[in-house]
Amino acid sequence: MASTKPDTASGTSGGGAGTMKHSGGPWTSASGTAGALRTSTEKSRSGLGPGHDGVAAGAAGFTSVTSLKSVLKSWEERLAGVRDECDYLEGALLKVAKEMGETETAVKSSFEAVPKARGHR
């Protein structure tokens, strides 16, 4: 969370009067969720084929077997796409978390380097 909201508790307002806070927690959490979804999607995708084993032999002569194979292939491709997108998002969200954390540290350091004015309001 980033904020430059004025500190109303101290009665100050205007530019630079607020505090800036950032937490990498939401980005890291979102990355973890994308990783878990990737794993779950791949587990489901890889289970589709074995789940259809024997269907063709048991339904020999039915035209629905061809349709079923087409649907299976379509779902395998869709789930592979979701898996790949989640894989990308996991890394991208972690990168944002890292960059935001580094930015927070750099900004904090730059403020600490500025001498504090005493006796000025």
Side-chain angles (χ1 to χ4, degrees):
M1 175 174 107
S3 174
T4 57
K5 183 178 177 183
D7 183 2
T8 54
S10 67
T12 61
S13 63
T19 59
M20 182 171 175
K21 296 179 182 177
H22 168 76
S23 170
W27 298 102
T28 302
S29 176
S31 174
T33 300
L37 184 56
R38 182 212 180 281
T39 300
S40 174
T41 301
E42 177 55 23
K43 183 177 179 182
S44 297
R45 189 201 64 77
S46 64
L48 286 175
H52 285 82
D53 286 349
V55 171
F62 290 104
T63 57
S64 60
V65 172
T66 303
S67 295
L68 184 59
K69 287 181 181 180
S70 175
V71 170
L72 171 62
K73 183 176 188 232
S74 173
W75 274 108
E76 287 176 331
E77 290 171 357
R78 290 171 193 230
L79 291 173
V82 169
R83 176 205 59 208
D84 294 346
E85 184 66 17
C86 288
D87 188 46
Y88 165 76
L89 286 172
E90 181 181 21
L93 291 166
L94 274 178
K95 182 178 178 184
V96 169
K98 180 182 176 204
E99 288 176 358
M100 295 298 275
E102 290 174 354
T103 299
E104 179 182 5
T105 301
V107 169
K108 182 179 178 184
S109 295
S110 70
F111 280 118
E112 289 172 349
V114 176
K116 296 181 181 178
R118 300 193 187 266
H120 289 77
R121 290 196 146 176

